[in-house]
């Protein structure tokens, strides 16, 4: 996810940071199901990427376990329409939601999400979620902002405040 926003970090490094594992740990952190509140707490902080650049992350979440509802299916759909990946918690760990199918209600509103496709960084694959076996209990959209002037040095002549590019599923694989 962070690589998408210009801040490369491995999943192992992110997990080590979120769960306070020693930097000299050589093993990949175990894929132990965590509480949604752990993920939210881990996301909402200042990070340092593999290039040494500092950035802030803030998350809006749907956390059914803790009854925190800061976003709904419309927000998730709009994030994906804007080419912004969404973090979801299903099958015991976090994945990136990259596509959904949904119906439009007679009044024009959004119906339930009926199909979801994710990139699972643990296995390095893009796959559909089977709604009969995988129920997402957590979703988050994130805002990523550079935290210091050094990060902006390369963008001095860039008049835009937002960068966009098309989400490519393989972009999230093994990052």
């Amino acid at each position: 996810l962070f690589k998408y926003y210009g801040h490369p970090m491995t999943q192992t490094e992110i997990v080590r940071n979120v769960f306070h594992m020693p930097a000299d740990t050589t093993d990949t952190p175990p894929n132990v199901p965590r509480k949604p509140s752990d993920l939210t707490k881990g996301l909402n902080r200042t990070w340092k990427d593999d290039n040494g650049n500092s950035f802030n992350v803030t998350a809006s979440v749907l956390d059914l376990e803790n009854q925190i509802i800061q976003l709904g299916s419309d927000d998730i759909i709009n994030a994906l329409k804007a080419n912004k990946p969404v973090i979801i918690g299903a099958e015991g760990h976090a994945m990136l939601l990259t596509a959904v199918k949904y119906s439009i209600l007679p009044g024009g509103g959004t119906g339930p999400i009926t199909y979801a496709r994710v990139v699972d960084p643990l296995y390095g694959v893009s796959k559909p979620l089977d709604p009969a076996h995988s129920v997402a209990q957590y979703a988050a959209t994130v805002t990523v902002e550079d935290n210091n002037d050094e990060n902006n040095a390369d963008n001095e002549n860039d008049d835009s405040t937002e960068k966009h590019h098309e989400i490519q599923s393989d972009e999230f694989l093994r990052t």
Side-chain angles (χ1 to χ4, degrees), residues 20-40:
H20 309 290
M21 298 177 72
D24 61 352
T25 302
T26 56
D27 294 331
T28 300
N31 184 39
V32 177
R34 306 289 182 167
K35 292 184 177 190
S37 57
D38 293 338
L39 185 55
T40 301

Side-chain angles (χ1 to χ4, degrees), residues 59-123:
S60 295
V61 301
L62 171 64
D63 177 351
L64 298 178
E65 180 178 305
N66 295 302
Q67 299 179 353
I68 300 170
I69 302 172
Q70 298 172 335
L71 63 126
S73 23
D74 283 343
D75 300 303
I76 292 168
I77 291 164
N78 288 334
L80 292 174
K81 283 181 179 178
N83 290 328
K84 295 182 179 183
V86 176
I87 299 168
I88 67 162
E91 298 181 0
H93 63 280
M95 295 178 276
L96 295 175
L97 181 65
T98 58
V100 295
K101 288 184 183 177
Y102 57 95
S103 58
I104 303 296
L105 299 174
T110 304
I113 292 173
T114 57
Y115 170 88
R117 185 157 196 90
V118 297
V119 172
D120 188 338
L122 182 65
Y123 302 107

